[in-house]
Amino acid sequence: MRTKLLVPVFFWICAGPALADIWTFETPSQNIQCSVGEDFNVLSDIICTIINRSDPPALPKPNWCNSDWGHTFSMKERGTVEVHCGETDRSKGGFDRAEYGVTGEFGGFVCHSSKKGLRCSNRDGHGFFLSRARQDVF
């Protein structure tokens, strides 16, 4: 069963009257937090952060990165996943809950929350799987 699990927040873009939607959600453990942006005539994007992880990052840390690596992942509704270098926001709460077993479709993405972790993919089949024990990019 597929359920729209997120409640949109609406705001106006300064450049004109285009309406944009932003959804935020987190896993029940509050260890993975995501936001999805969907704008009129623009590719949607998703960014997810895993606050605490126990294994090596999904991709090797580049030499130029002098900050946290392998905690924040993003992608557009078309194209590949990016892993970000930057300080990880470790605050929890304030997001809608994506209960385990729920699949949400929004902005060109499908995300499934399970006790094993969070799996999100885009229209091209690229995506990521995030859990405390494992992170994968595909």
Side-chain angles (χ1 to χ4, degrees):
M1 180 172 104
R2 294 186 184 258
T3 304
K4 192 144 188 169
L5 60 102
L6 308 170
V7 178
V9 176
F10 299 101
F11 65 92
W12 290 98
I13 303 295
C14 296
L19 188 62
D21 293 339
I22 300 208
W23 291 278
T24 61
F25 65 95
E26 65 186 2
T27 57
S29 68
Q30 297 182 317
N31 194 42
I32 303 170
Q33 299 176 331
C34 301
S35 63
V36 179
E38 188 176 24
D39 197 357
F40 182 72
N41 288 333
V42 177
L43 287 178
S44 300
D45 60 355
I46 185 170
I47 187 164
C48 293
T49 298
I50 181 161
I51 297 170
N52 295 303
R53 59 181 174 75
S54 60
D55 69 332
L59 299 174
K61 185 175 181 176
N63 293 334
W64 54 264
C65 179
N66 295 319
S67 190
D68 290 339
W69 175 260
H71 289 270
T72 302
F73 299 76
S74 70
M75 66 181 159
K76 295 200 178 301
E77 65 184 86
R78 299 263 182 215
T80 59
V81 173
E82 292 182 29
V83 180
H84 296 263
C85 174
E87 187 175 335
T88 303
D89 180 357
R90 288 179 161 61
S91 59
K92 294 184 177 184
F95 289 76
D96 290 325
R97 193 66 44 91
E99 297 296 340
Y100 297 134
V102 172
T103 298
E105 294 182 79
F106 40 86
F109 306 101
V110 175
C111 290
H112 179 74
S113 174
S114 72
K115 289 184 179 181
K116 293 181 180 180
L118 179 72
R119 183 184 194 281
C120 294
S121 59
N122 65 12
R123 294 182 194 276
D124 291 338
H126 295 286
F128 48 78
F129 174 83
L130 305 177
S131 73
R132 183 180 310 274
R134 189 179 105 229
Q135 301 83 50
D136 292 321
V137 172
F138 53 91

